[in-house]
Amino acid sequence: MRWSKLKQMAEGLLCESLKGRVHYQAIVHRKSHDQTSSFRMTFDGKEIGWASDIPYALELTRRSGNLRDERELNPFPWHLHWREWEQSEDYKAYHCAYEDTETAMIADEVFPAWAVRVLLFDYVHMPFEEAIVHEHPFVRAISLFDKRFGKRRLAEIDTEQESGFYKKFALIRKQADLQA
């Protein structure tokens, strides 16, 4: 799906008090060799959410390297054929460290732009009841801006167990509804 259509669909789901005030923006870095991208969310022109592929990749590499060092994994055996390496326990341990790092980065609300665009696509196509309990904090947070998220439900939410992203979005929505 083209970005312009996805943006139109996502912004079409915004509640009345946020229509025209919240914008989703995708920036593709065309001159980079693999056309990485960034994603921004703005509220009244101020950035409230950001994701970028390059900083994400750098942080993922740094953190997974640190985790491999903490777990004292064997160094990469460059002398092995790739098929032998794929079947080794070291390979599985490397992948486990990498996956644990990705999970920790989601918990820390560090996202790549490509994943945010996929999540936004999924969000506009999923039932609202699934969105508000989704496992990813980005989907739960943007569901707060949805026109299907009523004022009664908004008054009942408990943000104590939620991420900072979710808390920020809940505050924005509550303030916008008070001003409307």
Side-chain angles (χ1 to χ4, degrees):
M1 176 181 290
R2 291 183 155 269
W3 167 248
S4 56
K5 182 65 178 173
L6 179 58
K7 175 182 170 149
Q8 180 184 25
M9 290 173 73
E11 289 181 359
L13 290 173
L14 293 172
C15 65
E16 285 302 315
S17 62
L18 295 174
K19 269 201 194 311
R21 299 177 73 187
V22 170
H23 297 281
Y24 303 110
Q25 301 165 347
I27 302 112
V28 178
H29 308 294
R30 299 209 186 281
K31 297 208 178 198
S32 70
H33 75 283
D34 53 359
Q35 295 192 358
T36 58
S37 61
S38 298
F39 176 85
R40 292 180 63 205
M41 284 183 68
T42 60
F43 171 67
D44 290 341
K46 294 180 183 140
E47 190 173 276
I48 57 170
W50 177 78
S52 185
D53 294 340
I54 294 172
Y56 175 83
L58 291 171
E59 184 67 8
L60 180 65
T61 301
R62 185 188 66 76
R63 287 189 189 190
S64 62
N66 290 345
L67 190 57
R68 285 192 306 267
D69 291 345
E70 278 178 31
R71 294 181 180 177
E72 299 175 353
L73 300 180
N74 294 327
F76 191 87
W78 294 101
H79 64 282
L80 290 179
H81 188 273
W82 67 269
R83 285 192 182 127
E84 291 176 61
W85 167 244
E86 263 189 351
Q87 295 170 0
S88 71
E89 290 302 313
D90 290 337
Y91 178 80
K92 292 173 187 159
Y94 265 66
H95 269 280
C96 185
Y98 190 83
E99 288 168 2
D100 290 349
T101 304
E102 283 183 324
T103 303
M105 288 180 68
I106 289 171
D108 293 343
E109 299 174 349
V110 179
F111 315 124
W114 62 263
V116 170
R117 287 180 68 175
V118 169
L119 289 166
L120 193 61
F121 178 85
D122 291 345
Y123 169 71
V124 299
H125 291 95
M126 74 175 54
F128 178 69
E129 296 300 323
E130 283 181 32
I132 61 175
V133 294
H134 197 273
E135 65 184 348
H136 202 283
F138 175 76
V139 174
R140 283 195 315 277
I142 62 172
S143 72
L144 291 169
F145 289 175
D146 198 299
K147 60 187 171 189
R148 298 167 290 181
F149 202 101
K151 292 180 182 182
R152 194 174 320 140
R153 183 178 279 169
L154 186 63
E156 293 171 358
I157 63 169
D158 179 24
T159 58
E160 279 192 37
Q161 301 298 322
E162 289 290 346
S163 65
F165 208 52
Y166 188 89
K167 288 176 184 176
K168 181 184 351 178
F169 281 37
L171 182 64
I172 290 170
R173 172 69 189 267
K174 287 177 181 179
Q175 289 175 346
D177 283 352
L178 287 175
Q179 293 172 358

